[in-house]
């Protein structure tokens, strides 16, 4: 089942066909969405686990594309433009990370495990960050993108303009250095 995408553009396109408005971008944009919508929706679904979120993601990317429609010189590269809008939008969503709250009728039981000491946690956090700061710039950037920003190897490679293999090897070397850092020895 395919859900309609960018209904506003479709409505505008039908209005153009009826002669109510004379905006050429509506017609070409609407025909592009009708032709490529299913393929773009599959791309959006690969970026998110929830099909409804994928539809929202595609709608947002298409809205951004529509705004730039007249500025896009090579309409043969539209799929790439929309894919980039999908990825940028999804990346922005990751960075904003909302926290979902769920109401329940009963409070969960407190486990028998005592809560970790906040001072120890802060000390460990500080030691880890000092160790990360000791890494060479390139390795530090990759570690931060992979583990602090939670990007995949492919996304990290794309952001930094390097190959996935470069990311894998540099992160591996960085993790080796972190394992050997004397400040982090008590943690092991």
């Amino acid at each position: 089942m395919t859900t309609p995408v960018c209904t506003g553009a479709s409505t505008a396109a039908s209005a153009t066909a009826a002669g109510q408005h004379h905006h050429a971008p509506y017609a070409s944009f609407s025909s592009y969405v009708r032709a490529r919508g299913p393929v773009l929706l599959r791309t959006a679904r690969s970026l998110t686990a929830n099909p409804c979120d994928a539809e929202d993601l595609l709608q947002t990317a298409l809205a951004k594309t529509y705004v730039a429609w007249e500025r896009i010189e090579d309409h043969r590269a539209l799929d790439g433009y929309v894919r980039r809008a999908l990825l940028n939008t999804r990346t922005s969503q990751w960075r904003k990370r909302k926290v979902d709250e769920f109401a329940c009728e009963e409070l969960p039981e407190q486990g028998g495990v005592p809560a970790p000491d906040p001072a120890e946690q802060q000390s460990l956090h500080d030691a880890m960050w000092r160790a990360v700061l000791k890494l060479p710039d390139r390795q530090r950037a990759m570690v931060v993108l992979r583990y602090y920003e939670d990007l995949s190897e492919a996304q990290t490679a794309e952001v930094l303009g390097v190959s996935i293999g470069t990311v894998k090897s540099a992160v591996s070397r960085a993790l080796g250095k972190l394992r050997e850092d004397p400040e982090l020895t008590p943690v092991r």
Side-chain angles (χ1 to χ4, degrees):
M1 180 173 136
T2 306
T3 55
V5 288
C6 205
T7 55
S10 299
T11 306
S14 59
T16 302
Q20 295 171 353
H21 301 289
H22 186 65
H23 296 289
Y26 287 118
S28 61
F29 180 76
S30 181
S31 64
Y32 170 75
V33 170
R34 274 193 303 278
R36 301 299 295 162
V39 172
L40 296 170
L41 184 58
R42 279 194 303 272
T43 302
R45 283 187 177 151
S46 71
L47 294 173
T48 178
N50 184 331
C52 293
D53 289 343
E55 291 171 6
D56 290 344
L57 178 63
L58 180 58
Q59 285 288 61
T60 303
L62 288 173
K64 290 177 180 181
T65 303
Y66 180 76
V67 169
W69 191 254
E70 291 182 352
R71 292 189 319 254
I72 300 172
E73 294 177 14
D74 185 5
H75 279 221
R76 293 174 297 180
L78 284 171
D79 283 359
Y81 186 93
V82 175
R83 279 191 208 100
R84 172 53 65 188
L86 284 167
L87 185 59
N88 289 347
T89 302
R90 186 65 181 140
T91 301
S92 294
Q93 291 171 347
W94 287 328
R95 289 182 179 147
K96 290 179 185 173
R97 286 191 195 157
K98 66 179 181 182
V99 176
D100 292 328
E101 293 182 21
F102 300 99
C104 59
E105 295 195 18
E106 295 180 25
L107 291 174
E109 297 271 337
Q110 291 294 330
V113 179
D117 181 14
E120 286 182 30
Q121 285 183 313
Q122 186 61 46
S123 176
L124 175 60
H125 179 271
D126 292 345
M128 178 58 84
W129 190 244
R130 282 191 302 274
V132 168
L133 290 174
K134 293 177 193 174
L135 295 172
D137 292 343
R138 188 171 175 172
Q139 287 180 2
R140 183 177 353 139
M142 291 181 193
V143 167
V144 167
L145 289 172
R146 284 284 292 128
Y147 299 105
Y148 284 85
E149 295 295 325
D150 201 26
L151 297 182
S152 69
E153 291 168 341
Q155 292 164 333
T156 301
E158 187 174 339
V159 167
L160 296 175
V162 298
S163 71
I164 294 174
T166 301
V167 171
K168 288 180 179 182
S169 62
V171 167
S172 176
R173 284 191 303 274
L175 293 177
K177 288 179 183 179
L178 292 174
R179 282 185 202 100
E180 295 171 3
D181 191 291
E183 273 192 86
L184 300 177
T185 303
V187 175
R188 289 184 229 138

